[in-house]
């Protein structure tokens, strides 16, 4: 009788989910036609990233049959990402569908899908995660949350711990790709229609790895909007060692947008991290501990917006004012920063320009940046930016970049990018001086209905990047020498259900740069039923994916004597399965599925780990 009762209970649960979907129908899939405000071209990305080969997804849903057009309300336009048009090789977009189906828990895991990224973890979920790109250490990534700069204020004031940035509160992530930096623009979620929306999520896994997420969003007739969310990650240390870790993120967002031409918005993001010292079960030698102090960071900011037109074109003005506070369990470390920004821009059918002025009361008190982009005719797109920064101790930085794409045929494109820096790597270190570096890249891409291929050659100059403070006791130096690399990115779609994608990166010169091994590749094989647009009420969808990452022997960095700390080669596999029933999603992920033994920081093994759970989004 027990199996029959379990089967009846499961059938009742499924019927209840379908009935709930019938009462609260989900919006239709996004329209394939991009909106003017999002018409910049986009680089091909791994499968299920919610993007089309030629345009950024609009992310604005057409009215389903149960909603009148009056139900939809204006939101503030996105702020932070370059307005475009942009060369396709210079931008990668992860829309809402990608954030749901990527299997990524944190921003660091999501950025692994960007060609050339080497993501380094400290052994287990909830521990520090950092991204290395083109040998740039802690300067590999720059972060912006709805236009507000997320400056690092941790132990080193140089790099952010991406393991503390969860994806559960975001609607969209855009990555601006330059030869030696990834500028990551995070866009918080918002409700577009006049009805409340709630999401709940629960997941568990190995070593008591539990995550909880609750979000509530609503919008009213007068243009007022509200969003609140709580996300928690708690875990033990797993097979790699011992020591608990808890991450708690609180988010609140209020807005008033009575017209497409003006509005205001306020946000608060609070992240509290409580980490016990991580005691590693060393395979060879005695166990040792990595100290990770408890920390608390709060970002608060207010944004105002005004525009001359309703459609996102023409003249617009944005103003930001906010503060950031950081404290941790080290009694001598407490930082506070005030930040203000004014952005004025103009967008026409074939060109755009934007001037940003940003002030702070810390190591970089003044920054001004000018951006521009144009597509004078269909085959050519050019974009560029130049930024001048003033630091304390009478120091200055200049950072200029240029990108271009020439597309003589729709399926063939030639692209290139350049970055010139005369910049201070660590402004918070008063003795640090400017370094002059030139970085170049060029490539050719081919795209069709069945396949995409891009091959690029890049050269990044010698640069002494800042260190990630969370690992400086284990890897005290990141040497970076001039090196040429070739990167190939591809996607093959033999059917609408199956895709194979990935990237391969290979240095053309002898390498001693940190986390730039002789070869590095990631591959994804994905099956997706894609039945959501077919079945009534989006009743069912299924996704299964196998991912493989491999790299050769290289260098982690250098020790205190200058000797190279070796990086061993490895090949690892990740598995993921996901099933959607109306508005509920059941998922399972397995990291390092074969249990391979490898190290990304000295002496800290990366164990096998799995997570599984359910997400449910519904309208009240």
């Amino acid at each position: 009788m027990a199996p029959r009762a379990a089967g009846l209970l499961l059938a009742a649960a499924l019927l209840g989910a379908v009935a709930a979907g019938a009462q609260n129908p989900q919006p239709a899939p996004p329209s394939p036609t991009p909106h003017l405000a999002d018409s910049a071209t986009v680089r091909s990305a791994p499968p299920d990233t919610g993007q089309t080969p030629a345009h950024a997804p609009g992310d604005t849903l057409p009215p389903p049959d149960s909603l009148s057009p009056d139900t939809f309300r204006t939101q503030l336009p996105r702020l932070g990402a370059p307005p475009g048009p942009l060369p396709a090789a210079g931008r990668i977009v992860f829309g809402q569908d990608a954030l749901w189906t990527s299997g990524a828990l944190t921003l660091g895991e999501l950025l692994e899908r960007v060609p050339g990224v080497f993501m380094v973890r400290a052994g287990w979920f909830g521990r520090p995660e950092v991204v290395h790109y083109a040998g740039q250490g802690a300067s590999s990534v720059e972060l912006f949350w709805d236009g507000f700069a997320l400056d690092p204020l941790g132990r080193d004031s140089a790099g952010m711990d991406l393991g503390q940035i969860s994806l559960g509160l975001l609607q969209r992530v855009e990555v601006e790709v330059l030869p030696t930096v990834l500028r990551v623009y995070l866009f918080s979620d918002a409700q577009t229609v006049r009805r409340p929306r709630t999401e709940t999520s629960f997941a568990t896994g190995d070593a008591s790895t539990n995550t909880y997420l609750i979000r509530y969003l609503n919008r009213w007739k007068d243009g007022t909007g509200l969003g609140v969310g709580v996300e928690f990650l708690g875990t033990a240390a797993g097979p790699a060692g011992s020591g608990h870790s808890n991450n708690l993120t609180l988010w609140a967002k209020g807005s008033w947008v009575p017209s497409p031409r003006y509005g205001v918005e306020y946000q608060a993001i609070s992240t509290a991290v409580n980490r016990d010292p991580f005691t590693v079960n060393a395979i060879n030698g005695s166990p040792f501990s990595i100290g990770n102090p408890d920390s608390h960071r709060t970002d608060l900011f207010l944004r105002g917006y005004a525009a001359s037109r309703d459609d996102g074109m023409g003249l617009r003005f944005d103003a930001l004012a906010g503060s950031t506070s950081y404290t941790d369990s080290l009694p001598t470390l407490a930082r506070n920063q005030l930040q203000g920004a004014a952005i004025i821009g103009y967008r026409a059918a074939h060109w755009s320009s934007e001037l940003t002025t940003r002030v702070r009361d810390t190591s970089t008190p003044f920054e001004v940046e000018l951006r521009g982009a144009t597509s004078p005719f269909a085959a050519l797109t050019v974009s560029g930016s130049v930024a001048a920064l003033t630091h304390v101790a009478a120091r200055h930085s200049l950072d200029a970049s240029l990108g271009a794409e020439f597309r003589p045929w729709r399926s063939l494109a030639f692209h290139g990018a350049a970055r010139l820096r005369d910049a201070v790597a660590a402004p918070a270190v008063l003795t640090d001086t400017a370094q002059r570096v030139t970085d170049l890249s060029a490539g050719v891409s081919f795209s069709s209905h069945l396949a995409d291929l891009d091959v690029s050659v890049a050269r990044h100059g010698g640069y002494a990047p800042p260190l990630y403070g969370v690992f400086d006791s284990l890897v005290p130096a990141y040497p970076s020498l001039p090196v040429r690399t070739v990167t190939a990115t591809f996607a093959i779609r033999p059917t609408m259900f199956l895709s194979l994608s990935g990237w391969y990166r290979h240095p053309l010169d002898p390498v001693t740069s940190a986390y730039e091994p002789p070869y590095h590749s990631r591959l994804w094989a994905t099956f997706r039923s894609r039945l959501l647009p077919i079945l009534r009420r989006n009743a069912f969808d299924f996704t299964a994916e196998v991912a493989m990452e491999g790299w050769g022997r290289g260098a982690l960095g250098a020790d205190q004597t200058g000797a190279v700390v070796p990086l061993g080669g490895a090949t690892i596999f990740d598995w993921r399965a996901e099933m959607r029933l109306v508005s509920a999603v059941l998922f399972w992920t397995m990291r390092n599925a074969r249990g391979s033994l490898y190290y990304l920081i000295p002496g800290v093994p990366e164990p096998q780990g799995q997570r599984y759970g359910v997400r449910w989004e519904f309208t009240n």
Side-chain angles (χ1 to χ4, degrees):
M1 293 298 292
R4 177 180 297 180
L8 291 175
L9 183 61
L10 177 60
L14 295 179
L15 288 174
V18 173
Q23 296 171 6
N24 297 297
Q26 298 302 302
S31 168
T33 302
H35 294 267
L36 289 176
D38 274 326
S39 59
T41 50
V42 176
R43 180 180 186 173
S44 298
D48 298 328
T49 59
Q51 59 185 304
T52 60
H55 296 283
D59 276 354
T60 300
L61 305 178
D65 52 9
S66 60
L67 294 176
S68 67
D70 181 61
T71 303
F72 287 77
R73 282 293 174 264
T74 304
Q75 299 184 76
L76 284 181
R78 298 186 183 99
L79 178 63
L86 295 176
R91 185 183 181 204
I92 297 177
V93 174
F94 299 95
Q96 194 167 32
D97 183 65
L99 300 183
W100 273 59
T101 61
S102 66
L105 176 64
T106 65
L107 180 60
E109 293 183 357
L110 183 70
L111 292 181
E112 286 185 307
R113 293 178 173 260
V114 176
V117 162
F118 205 122
M119 206 273 281
V120 179
R121 306 181 184 92
W124 191 246
F125 300 105
R127 291 294 168 175
E129 296 177 358
V130 298
V131 160
H132 290 264
Y133 179 70
Q136 301 303 298
S139 60
S140 298
V141 175
E142 299 174 4
L143 296 175
F144 301 86
W145 183 293
D146 286 329
F148 186 78
L150 296 181
D151 296 325
L153 297 177
R155 293 171 59 188
D156 51 7
S157 292
M160 292 283 288
D161 176 5
L162 301 185
Q164 298 183 20
I165 301 179
S166 167
L167 302 178
L169 304 175
L170 300 176
Q171 183 185 60
R172 181 183 177 100
V173 176
E174 295 191 17
V175 183
E176 182 186 5
V177 181
L178 292 173
T180 50
V181 69
L182 303 175
R183 291 181 178 141
V184 182
Y185 304 97
L186 312 173
F187 300 101
S188 59
D189 203 356
Q191 180 70 330
T192 60
V193 298
R194 289 169 44 201
R195 63 178 185 181
R197 173 164 57 97
T198 304
E199 179 187 347
T200 61
S201 174
F202 167 79
T204 188
D206 295 337
S208 301
T209 302
N210 300 315
T211 59
Y212 308 91
L213 169 66
I214 299 177
R215 294 191 308 167
Y216 172 83
L217 301 105
N218 205 346
R219 189 164 293 277
W220 291 271
K221 186 175 182 179
D222 63 355
T224 304
L226 175 67
V228 292
V230 179
E231 186 160 20
F232 173 82
L233 166 64
T235 181
S242 61
H244 285 77
S245 174
N246 298 321
N247 294 9
L248 176 65
T249 301
L250 306 176
W251 170 72
K253 176 179 180 179
S255 62
W256 179 65
V257 192
S259 165
R261 296 195 179 190
Y262 61 91
V264 294
E265 180 180 271
Y266 177 79
Q267 286 197 62
I269 310 110
S270 174
T271 303
V273 179
N274 297 307
R275 289 170 173 162
D276 295 337
F278 183 32
T279 302
V280 180
N281 298 328
I283 303 299
N284 299 316
S286 302
F288 64 95
S289 294
I290 302 175
N292 297 131
D294 300 341
S295 65
H296 183 206
R297 175 178 175 132
T298 301
D299 295 275
L300 309 169
F301 65 93
L302 176 69
R303 175 192 171 193
Y305 164 80
S308 62
R309 293 174 52 171
D310 295 348
D311 58 1
M313 311 297 280
L315 188 67
R316 59 176 284 184
F317 175 78
D318 290 271
L320 285 168
S323 66
T324 302
S325 63
Y326 174 91
T327 59
D328 63 24
S329 53
L330 300 177
T332 59
L333 187 55
R335 294 192 172 100
N336 295 279
Q337 174 180 278
L338 298 177
Q339 180 183 154
I343 304 100
I344 184 169
Y346 187 89
R347 183 157 190 177
H350 300 290
W351 65 276
S352 70
S353 62
E354 187 175 85
L355 178 66
T356 301
T357 301
R358 199 178 300 270
V359 295
R360 304 175 177 88
D361 64 347
T362 51
S363 55
T364 304
F366 183 76
E367 174 184 351
V368 60
E369 181 181 29
L370 177 64
R371 289 182 174 272
T374 181
S375 182
F377 51 93
L380 179 65
T381 303
V382 180
S383 67
S385 68
V386 58
L389 301 88
T390 300
H391 310 293
V392 294
R395 296 170 300 163
H396 302 275
S397 293
L398 180 69
D399 193 332
S401 62
L402 180 68
E405 178 186 85
F406 178 65
R407 188 176 292 273
W409 296 278
R410 183 174 183 179
S411 60
L412 180 67
F414 302 92
H415 58 84
R419 186 186 185 202
L420 173 64
R421 289 174 287 170
D422 189 4
V424 177
V429 180
L430 299 183
T431 57
D432 193 19
T433 58
Q435 306 175 60
R436 175 166 290 187
V437 188
T438 300
D439 310 304
L440 304 169
S441 69
V444 59
S445 63
F446 172 83
S447 60
S448 69
H449 176 69
L450 295 178
D452 301 321
L453 176 64
D454 181 274
V455 179
S456 302
V457 177
R459 178 194 181 277
H460 62 74
Y463 184 67
L467 305 177
Y468 283 110
V470 293
F471 300 139
D472 58 5
S473 62
L474 300 174
V475 186
Y478 293 153
S480 180
L481 299 178
V483 62
R484 297 169 300 158
T485 60
V486 59
T487 303
T489 307
F490 72 93
I492 303 173
R493 298 172 291 273
T495 71
M496 66 175 294
F497 310 107
L498 182 65
S499 63
L500 178 65
S501 65
W503 53 264
Y504 174 85
R505 185 178 179 90
H506 174 66
L508 301 176
D509 302 313
V511 174
T512 56
S513 294
Y515 297 99
E516 283 277 12
Y519 70 86
H520 186 198
S521 63
R522 283 191 69 92
L523 303 174
W524 293 268
T526 307
F527 170 84
R528 187 172 183 183
S529 65
R530 299 193 181 276
L531 295 177
L532 286 180
I534 300 173
L535 297 180
R536 182 172 174 80
R537 305 303 187 192
N538 300 339
F540 177 80
D541 196 14
F542 177 76
T543 301
E545 182 177 84
V546 176
M548 183 190 75
E549 181 179 15
W551 61 86
R553 296 178 181 271
L556 298 173
D559 61 20
Q560 295 178 349
T561 66
V564 172
V565 179
L567 169 68
T571 300
I572 59 174
F573 289 85
D574 299 330
W575 299 342
R576 178 174 68 89
E578 179 175 291
M579 180 172 63
R580 178 175 294 191
L581 300 171
V582 194
S583 57
V585 179
L586 308 176
F587 62 92
W588 171 79
T589 63
M590 173 72 79
R591 194 168 76 185
N592 189 14
R594 298 172 59 191
S596 302
L597 179 63
Y598 66 100
Y599 302 84
L600 298 180
I601 58 176
V604 182
E606 299 290 327
Q608 181 187 77
Q610 67 173 331
R611 296 176 58 251
Y612 49 89
V614 60
R615 294 191 302 267
W616 184 24
E617 183 178 284
F618 55 93
T619 54
N620 302 44

